[in-house]
Amino acid sequence: MNRQAIPAQVTSFIDGRWQPATGLAVPVVSPVSERPISVLHEADAAQVDAAVAAARRTFEAATWSGAAVAERKQVLLRVRDGILARSEELAQLEVAHTGVPIAQARGRHVPRAALNFEFFAEFISQASSPLFDQNPDYLTFVRHEPAGVAALIAPWNAPLALATMKVAGAIAFGNSCVLKPSELTPLSFVPLMQILADAGVPAGVVNLVNGRGPVTGSALVGHPGVDVVAFTGGTATGRLIGEAAGRGLKKVVTELGGKSANIVFADADLERALDAALVAVFANNGQQCLAGSRLLLQRPIAAQFIERFVARVQSLRIGDPLDAATEIGPLISAAQRDRVLSFAAQARTGPEYEVLCGGRAAALSPGFYVEPTVVRAKSNSLPVCREEIFGPFVTILEFDDAEAAFAIANDSQFGLVSYVWSASLATVTAALRALRAGVVWINTPLTRELRAPFGGYKNSGVGRDGGSWSRALFTEEKTVTIPVRDFPILRMGISADA
Ligand code: NAD
């Protein structure tokens, strides 16, 4: 395997052109070597303004927003092909800035980025809008029109897969957009801009601004020229985004953090539940919003399940994420590693915890590696059960019956997903009703259906994306009424004796 050349510097891409490297230089650090591998030149408010202006200009020129659906569909399918044609390069760049194992970048992240464009290409060619013809005098129908300029803000944990869900949705429905990836992970967006241009996306339809959240991101969200904000990231940032979008009366969807319960009942298929429990928390180095990071075990099977689970966790292959056999790579940053380790340190202090394995920096240096960690907790009120840790860290709790399991699962500030493992129809039916989460996965882990809504209850966000929910975000709905016959119109201003 040839190692992918990493762009030496990353600037912003506005109106089809890479901008000069004038902004503040922010190093892009490798999670493996802990050394800078590239430099990001931050977009300031003036550059953000230029990006929004380019998006507005192209939107109003209607080359893209007014293009036939068939044309947009073909371009989106060419973007998919472009991603697939450069999939190895993209996978390696995703690994270089995130530390995600290459097998997962190749197997999940890059294929998902391609699928996002294919999905929305197909969606727009099949979509329809309601027509109301009950009234004998007139017809009323709904037009979905592009909302305008979309600000798309993405996190670092799955940079390409999550950002392209937003880009594909925004442009499929005819919008222009400005994308701001995480400042930690700008690398794969360099080839992506080229792929979009080569596929025929006109200059100015997708603009890219790079920089830190409080500078570049905040200028973008607060910009009066932005009509729609699609945000994925942490809950604290989500509140700021919601406030700024609210002040500007912009449409907004926020997809935020989670602390999802993975509930395993005694009657479950325990082999599948075991495999899934590992994937649900340790895929993506544990840095996933939908992690099943609270593993709830029914008491009769708990001891045996824990023994087998811990044995598997201890066998996870930690190492260089570019090695195809690696299952756990380094975390994104020193700060993230220290955060995860601080929860492990806390768990070593009290009798309400038991660290079953891990909990230390892994014996690999350099690199932000953390040993996969399993902690048994006596109570769901402990911080390891309440906070999103966002690393290879799972907390185990035990329960007696379904009612207790659902109460623990719901006792959280978050409500993104829940996992339920049981062979009983009555139990899973009760679960899917009781659980306060945007997604309930029954006897299956991590199965995102792009046609269905995805998003969270409570502090996991506001709104949904996927299929027609993405259309609701990225379009304005216009209700149009036309007569079908000359029905009587009240005649005003005519004198009574006329
Ligand atoms: P983050 O909130 O720190 O950053 C997300 C993005 O927002 C980045 O691009 C960042 O630069 C930007 N940002 C930060 N402050 C900003 C501000 N004041 N104004 C505008 N933009 C700002 O999140 P992160 O650390 O990059 O990502 C991890 C978080 O994302 C976790 O909480 C995870 O659960 C969440 N996440 C949620 C989903 C979901 O679909 N619900 C998916 C993936 C990740």
Side-chain angles (χ1 to χ4, degrees), residues 153-157 162 180-183 211-214 217-218 221 231-235 237 240-241 255-258 289 388 390 416 454 460:
I153 302 192
W156 48 258
N157 62 320
L162 294 171
K180 196 208 85 67
S182 167
E183 59 275 30
R212 291 164 300 166
S218 153
V221 175
F231 173 79
T232 299
T235 294
T237 317
L240 297 174
I241 301 286
E255 306 202 322
L256 311 177
C289 57
E388 183 184 47
F390 222 60
L416 193 55
F454 181 86
S460 292

Side-chain angles (χ1 to χ4, degrees), residues 199-376:
V201 177
V205 170
V206 178
N207 305 277
L208 172 76
V209 290
N210 276 306
R212 291 164 300 166
V215 179
T216 313
S218 153
L220 179 58
V221 175
H223 196 292
V226 165
D227 302 291
V228 177
V229 179
F231 173 79
T232 299
T235 294
T237 317
R239 286 185 206 282
L240 297 174
I241 301 286
E243 278 170 24
R247 268 196 303 279
L249 294 178
K250 303 175 199 305
K251 302 180 79 175
V252 60
V253 164
T254 51
E255 306 202 322
L256 311 177
K259 187 76 185 176
S260 300
N262 182 1
I263 310 171
V264 183
F265 286 92
D267 65 353
D269 177 337
L270 296 177
E271 290 303 320
R272 289 180 65 78
L274 182 64
D275 289 342
L278 283 139
V279 173
V281 76
F282 294 112
N284 226 50
N285 300 337
Q287 299 166 134
Q288 40 186 355
C289 57
L290 31 71
S293 53
R294 285 185 299 155
L295 179 56
L296 275 50
L297 301 175
Q298 197 164 21
R299 230 174 280 280
I301 52 122
Q304 207 195 352
F305 195 94
I306 289 171
E307 193 183 321
R308 297 184 65 200
F309 182 76
V310 169
R312 292 272 295 272
V313 173
Q314 286 173 320
S315 311
L316 287 169
R317 294 185 294 273
I318 313 175
D320 180 354
L322 276 174
D323 179 342
T326 292
E327 294 172 301
I328 301 265
L331 300 193
I332 185 78
S333 63
Q336 193 62 21
R337 174 197 58 198
D338 295 346
R339 177 180 159 77
V340 175
L341 292 177
S342 75
F343 281 98
Q346 203 175 83
R348 281 193 292 272
T349 59
E352 9 8 6
Y353 303 96
E354 191 185 345
V355 180
L356 299 176
C357 68
R360 313 258 178 202
L364 287 164
S365 187
F368 306 126
Y369 295 93
V370 172
E371 290 173 352
T373 303
V374 184
V375 170
R376 189 188 217 154

Side-chain angles (χ1 to χ4, degrees), residues 28 36 126 131 159 179 197 225 302 384 387 402:
V28 179
Q126 296 292 323
L131 178 137
L179 167 66
V384 293
E387 303 295 327

